Amino acid sequence: MEVASQNSSKPVPVENQILVVGDALIDHQYWIDRMPRAGEDSVILSFLKNVGGSAANTAIALAFLGVPTKFYGTIGRDPDGVLIVDQMQAVGVDISGIQWGEVTGFTITMIDQTSERTMFSFRGASSNALSIDSPLLKSTKSSRVLLTSGYQLLYPDQAQVVLSIAERVKAEGNLVALDPSPLIGDVPEEIRSRMLGITDILLPNRHEIAVLTGEEDLSTALEKARHLSKCVAVKLGSRGAWMAIQEGFQFADGQRVSSDLCFQAPAKQVQAVDTTGAGDAFNAGFLASFLRDETPENWLRSGNNLAGEVVQHRGAVSLFCSPSQTSAK
Ligand SMILES: Nc1ncnc2c1ncn2[C@@H]1O[C@H](COP(=O)(O)OP(=O)(O)OP(=O)(O)O)[C@@H](O)[C@H]1O
Ligand SMILES: [Mg+2]
């Protein structure tokens, strides 16, 4: 596949493992004509079921790109949990850190003819706080980057665990990457600022930088976003992505940036059919390139490239593993 060959030209050193901590859910996507009013009966035109959850999507894409990837999250002891394990294993995600809860979480997304998405989520086992066992402690040492998301900061117990994992990663001299996620505005201020204080690579979208900076105007928000962490890469949908790096930011090989840098890269010119998981794919392409010690311009290019492939397919991870159930479209 074109994506694989483009991204696997330079191998990721084994010591550049990535530890992904977060949600593994099941995505149920339903394509409909229009959202019904309450009480109406309406027809589903087509559907798709597969692994979802921001962290799981990114872990699957990273493993697909050949990055040594370890996933930590909680899923249910049920058929959906088995599906998640099977799909992750099929692409080579190290699932030895998965912990087990009661019911696997899921998301139901209704997509109308205008591509408007209406979502309902049940986080299930993925809202459980992870127990910090000795393999997890070892992973904080053996992983060059920890990637987690704002979803992990919503509940106090879970947030405390994720913060202590992130602090441990930092203490080991490794890096913390954070996708703030759309609900970052709901994270208590004290937890949010503690997490941002230890984040090296921040991966927000347009809406999330507005929340984090308090600025609706894009150029003002980007200007302020430069100070949110040492490396901030902002996803701008069909406009591509923008990145600012501060002097002193550490590359994957340990070298430090000697002056402030700023980059912009256009999105791939494609016909998007479903943007679910676009941000997660961007994160994977970006971090894979970072871990390959490529140039910063390439981190953005690689993020846009992979996300640009994903938006041409229905489902967040269909490009990397076939949907477990789908209807003909
Ligand atoms: N219409 C599009 N055409 C080409 N590329 C796109 C399009 N929409 C999104 N992308 C790519 O996907 C990346 C992420 O998209 P976006 O900015 O929507 O992130 P997001 O809102 O975090 O996504 P998600 O809904 O998955 O969380 C963009 O930076 C771009 O590279
Ligand atoms: Mg996103």
Side-chain angles (χ1 to χ4, degrees), residues 37-41:
R37 282 184 288 277
E40 264 185 353
D41 195 344

Side-chain angles (χ1 to χ4, degrees), residues 177-189:
L178 176 73
D179 184 319
S181 86
L183 300 182
I184 191 67
D186 298 340
V187 173
E189 178 52 35

Side-chain angles (χ1 to χ4, degrees), residues 6-309:
Q6 271 174 11
N7 286 282
S8 55
S9 48
K10 191 174 168 189
V12 177
V14 276
E15 65 275 17
N16 284 357
Q17 171 178 269
I18 184 161
L19 174 63
V20 181
V21 173
D23 289 353
L25 307 170
I26 294 293
D27 268 355
H28 297 271
Q29 292 177 284
Y30 300 105
W31 280 266
I32 55 172
D33 189 21
R34 62 166 180 83
M35 269 309 279
R37 282 184 288 277
E40 264 185 353
D41 195 344
S42 61
V43 167
I44 290 169
L45 303 172
S46 58
F47 71 94
L48 188 147
K49 174 184 177 183
N50 209 351
V51 178
S54 179
N57 293 341
T58 310
I60 286 172
L62 281 160
F64 176 88
L65 295 176
V67 179
T69 305
K70 187 156 190 166
F71 179 80
Y72 264 87
T74 312
I75 59 177
R77 283 189 193 284
D78 50 28
D80 282 345
V82 173
L83 171 62
I84 290 170
V85 165
D86 287 350
Q87 295 287 56
M88 284 194 173
Q89 277 187 313
V91 288
V93 176
D94 176 344
I95 51 113
S96 58
I98 281 186
Q99 298 183 10
W100 300 90
E102 281 194 358
V103 182
T104 300
F106 60 88
T107 299
I108 293 173
T109 309
M110 314 300 295
I111 305 154
D112 72 14
Q113 296 285 23
T114 68
S115 300
E116 184 78 54
R117 291 183 286 170
T118 307
M119 299 172 77
F120 305 85
S121 291
F122 172 71
R123 290 193 68 220
S126 70
S127 63
N128 294 2
L130 283 169
S131 60
I132 302 190
D133 52 16
S134 69
L136 177 52
L137 291 180
K138 260 195 210 143
S139 298
T140 61
K141 189 168 186 168
S142 59
S143 306
R144 189 70 188 105
V145 172
L146 162 73
L147 171 68
T148 191
S149 85
Y151 291 118
Q152 304 305 300
L153 306 174
L154 287 169
Y155 303 102
D157 290 357
Q158 198 170 35
Q160 291 309 328
V161 170
V162 168
L163 279 165
S164 59
I165 296 169
E167 282 161 357
R168 182 127 190 152
V169 164
K170 292 288 285 189
E172 298 287 0
N174 292 316
L175 301 165
V176 173
L178 176 73
D179 184 319
S181 86
L183 300 182
I184 191 67
D186 298 340
V187 173
E189 178 52 35
E190 182 260 326
I191 290 176
R192 193 165 89 174
S193 55
R194 213 170 124 199
M195 189 69 201
L196 285 173
I198 51 172
T199 296
D200 301 283
I201 303 173
L202 186 67
L203 299 161
N205 65 14
R206 168 79 187 87
H207 157 77
E208 293 148 10
I209 49 157
V211 172
L212 290 169
T213 61
E215 296 291 347
E216 276 303 323
D217 173 66
L218 180 59
S219 53
T220 318
L222 291 178
E223 202 42 52
K224 283 197 177 178
R226 287 168 184 268
H227 309 289
L228 290 171
S229 83
K230 285 225 176 290
C231 173
V232 182
V234 183
K235 293 161 269 188
L236 298 170
S238 58
R239 295 173 65 184
W242 173 98
M243 174 169 67
I245 300 177
Q246 284 177 29
E247 180 188 341
F249 174 70
Q250 208 184 29
F251 289 125
D253 66 2
Q255 303 244 30
R256 289 187 184 273
V257 175
S258 57
S259 62
D260 291 355
L261 302 169
C262 189
F263 303 93
Q264 191 143 16
K268 217 171 159 148
Q269 291 302 298
V270 295
Q271 188 66 42
V273 300
D274 178 18
T275 57
T276 308
D280 306 327
F282 177 92
N283 294 349
F286 180 97
L287 291 169
S289 175
F290 172 78
L291 289 166
R292 282 194 178 96
D293 279 321
E294 293 176 358
T295 62
E297 290 94 329
N298 270 336
W299 309 343
L300 280 190
R301 229 175 274 145
S302 166
N304 283 333
N305 226 5
L306 191 65
E309 292 294 328

